[in-house]
Amino acid sequence: MPRVTVAYREARRDEIARAALRCLVRKGVRDTSIADIVTESGLSTGAIYSHFSSKAELARYIVARYLVPHVETLEARARKGDVIAPRAVLATLLRAFEEHGLPPSVVVQFWAEAMVDPDLLAQVSVTAERLRASLQAALQPWADASGVAAPAVLAADTVRAVMALTQGWIAHTAVFGSRSVNSYIESATAALTE
Amino acid sequence: MPRVTVAYREARRDEIARAALRCLVRKGVRDTSIADIVTESGLSTGAIYSHFSSKAELARYIVARYLVPHVETLEARARKGDVIAPRAVLATLLRAFEEHGLPPSVVVQFWAEAMVDPDLLAQVSVTAERLRASLQAALQPWADASGVAAPAVLAADTVRAVMALTQGWIAHTAVFGSRSVNSYIESATAALTE
DNA sequence: ACCTGAACACCGTTCAAGT
DNA sequence: ACCTGAACACCGTTCAAGT
């Protein structure tokens, strides 16, 4: 029987996760220790471990708690118009990402963590699948209007491409420094259409 | 005064780096310990530290030693033809990458390391700059033939786009599983040209 | 039930001692 | 000069003891 309410527990988890996220943004995933999170949150080691079974589970919680709202914002934006072209979806996706607080460098570090933590990879995959399904729905009118034989296949392939292009922008921005969304889309288009 | 030749020293560094790379591919960057490299190489902790000042310097050496040859192979391929379109450069780049042994998941992990190790970021930047300059030279004939007012600017922008598209393929493959080079290029083109 | 903080196993790195 | 491996500071995690 819980002595505190579920809401209290969730608030406490959130408090820890927010403190952890501030550390991650400041110091990076590898260089953030439990001791850092203890200092940042003002709690003790044991308190953190009574809410999360491990550092890895805390990372998974952060992905679920702070990346999913990002995805929801992106979903909402992608559905604002009616017939939306893939370029517009990509631009919306990248601009929404730019405006949100999560730095590309942190996203790349979570990808790397997922390469080494199967549970985190599963978490990332679930989040990505939600985004994928939603973007595909947003692109369906465009695919239908394209007059192609199999518009569902076109929409599915196009969404994967949009997601890969988003990842390209994130990785490029993280490694080589900030890059304008417009010039990325324009030069990628020029490169592919020759 | 060195008791052994420079060549011997370099061979020893290589021996350690190769053992380390086998560990990285098998266990991931974060989960490879010095103890693992000691076991894999058959040397002692001290022997490794008498050749590399830290684990970070070993990582930098691996990037310089095993990524630069990749880059050289890509450079060579990119220059095989005469007037090469960006799509062909991208396809060559991705296919060369596919055929070489370095898994995309390891590349993503090195990006993440670079986010947290300024010296490694500098190393990655130097390697990338070499590749960039070489690909730009390979694309110059195409840019000149395009009849645009500033072909040098077009070539420079296009190369950045090709590199970002390559990073997109690497990140997408690492996170969502293996993806065919052709379908990636085709669906990205379809997405951008609407 | 939730929390504390000392204790534990393990990590990267150092260094006195060998050859 | 190169190498050994015990020693050190620090990491993530556990757990007996408090409230």
Side-chain angles (χ1 to χ4, degrees):
Chain A
M1 209 52 174
R3 192 170 284 182
V4 294
T5 62
V6 173
Y8 172 85
R9 257 199 86 79
E10 204 48 51
R12 205 68 158 153
R13 279 166 77 89
D14 236 60
E15 191 188 335
I16 294 165
R18 281 177 189 283
L21 187 56
R22 286 194 297 274
C23 293
L24 295 181
V25 170
R26 199 191 314 127
K27 305 186 67 178
V29 175
R30 196 202 61 186
D31 288 347
T32 293
S33 65
I34 297 290
D36 291 328
I37 302 169
V38 165
T39 305
E40 181 73 26
S41 66
L43 298 170
S44 69
T45 315
I48 287 166
Y49 276 90
S50 74
H51 289 279
F52 297 98
S53 67
S54 68
K55 202 184 170 185
E57 203 220 312
L58 176 52
R60 266 174 266 140
Y61 181 85
I62 290 171
V63 168
R65 192 76 177 73
Y66 299 100
L67 263 49
V68 168
H70 278 246
V71 167
E72 280 165 359
T73 308
L74 298 178
E75 285 176 359
R77 292 210 188 185
R79 258 174 307 195
K80 256 202 230 153
D82 269 4
V83 177
I84 323 169
R87 275 173 68 106
V89 171
L90 177 61
T92 304
L93 209 54
L94 293 183
R95 253 188 285 275
F97 192 89
E98 231 177 5
E99 285 160 24
H100 272 68
L102 205 68
S105 65
V106 174
V107 175
V108 169
Q109 289 174 70
F110 273 116
W111 292 344
E113 277 298 301
M115 300 297 95
V116 112
D117 176 354
D119 291 328
L120 181 59
L121 182 60
Q123 181 72 258
V124 168
S125 299
V126 166
T127 308
E129 174 51 29
R130 278 206 43 192
L131 178 62
R132 205 201 57 71
S134 162
L135 293 181
Q136 187 172 330
L139 274 177
Q140 199 57 60
W142 163 84
D144 292 337
S146 75
V148 103
V153 173
L154 175 64
D157 282 354
T158 304
V159 170
R160 282 196 82 187
V162 167
M163 291 180 75
L165 288 164
T166 302
Q167 289 189 90
W169 181 82
I170 291 171
H172 201 268
T173 301
V175 177
F176 300 110
S178 171
R179 167 137 212 218
S180 129
V181 166
N182 280 340
S183 79
Y184 171 63
I185 295 177
E186 269 162 41
S187 60
T189 305
L192 289 171
T193 52
E194 49 203 291
Chain B
M1 209 53 173
R3 193 170 284 183
V4 294
T5 62
V6 173
Y8 171 84
R9 256 199 87 80
E10 204 49 49
R12 204 70 159 150
R13 280 165 76 90
D14 236 60
E15 192 188 334
I16 294 165
R18 280 177 190 283
L21 188 55
R22 286 195 297 275
C23 293
L24 295 181
V25 170
R26 199 191 314 127
K27 305 187 65 177
V29 175
R30 197 202 60 187
D31 288 346
T32 293
S33 65
I34 296 290
D36 292 328
I37 302 169
V38 165
T39 305
E40 181 75 25
S41 66
L43 299 170
S44 69
T45 315
I48 286 166
Y49 276 90
S50 74
H51 289 279
F52 297 99
S53 67
S54 67
K55 202 184 170 185
E57 203 220 313
L58 176 52
R60 267 174 265 140
Y61 181 84
I62 290 171
V63 167
R65 191 78 177 71
Y66 300 101
L67 263 50
V68 167
H70 278 246
V71 167
E72 280 165 0
T73 308
L74 299 178
E75 285 177 358
R77 293 211 187 186
R79 258 174 308 195
K80 256 202 229 152
D82 270 1
V83 176
I84 322 170
R87 274 173 69 107
V89 171
L90 177 61
T92 304
L93 209 55
L94 293 184
R95 253 188 285 275
F97 193 90
E98 233 178 4
E99 284 160 25
H100 273 67
L102 205 69
S105 65
V106 174
V107 175
V108 169
Q109 289 174 70
F110 273 116
W111 291 344
E113 277 298 300
M115 301 296 95
V116 112
D117 176 354
D119 291 328
L120 182 59
L121 183 61
Q123 181 72 258
V124 168
S125 300
V126 166
T127 308
E129 175 51 29
R130 277 207 41 194
L131 178 62
R132 204 200 57 71
S134 162
L135 293 180
Q136 188 172 331
L139 275 177
Q140 200 57 60
W142 164 84
D144 291 338
S146 75
V148 102
V153 173
L154 175 64
D157 283 354
T158 304
V159 170
R160 283 197 82 189
V162 166
M163 291 180 74
L165 288 164
T166 302
Q167 290 189 89
W169 181 83
I170 291 171
H172 200 268
T173 301
V175 177
F176 300 109
S178 172
R179 165 135 213 220
S180 131
V181 166
N182 280 339
S183 79
Y184 171 63
I185 295 177
E186 269 162 43
S187 60
T189 304
L192 289 172
T193 52
E194 51 202 288

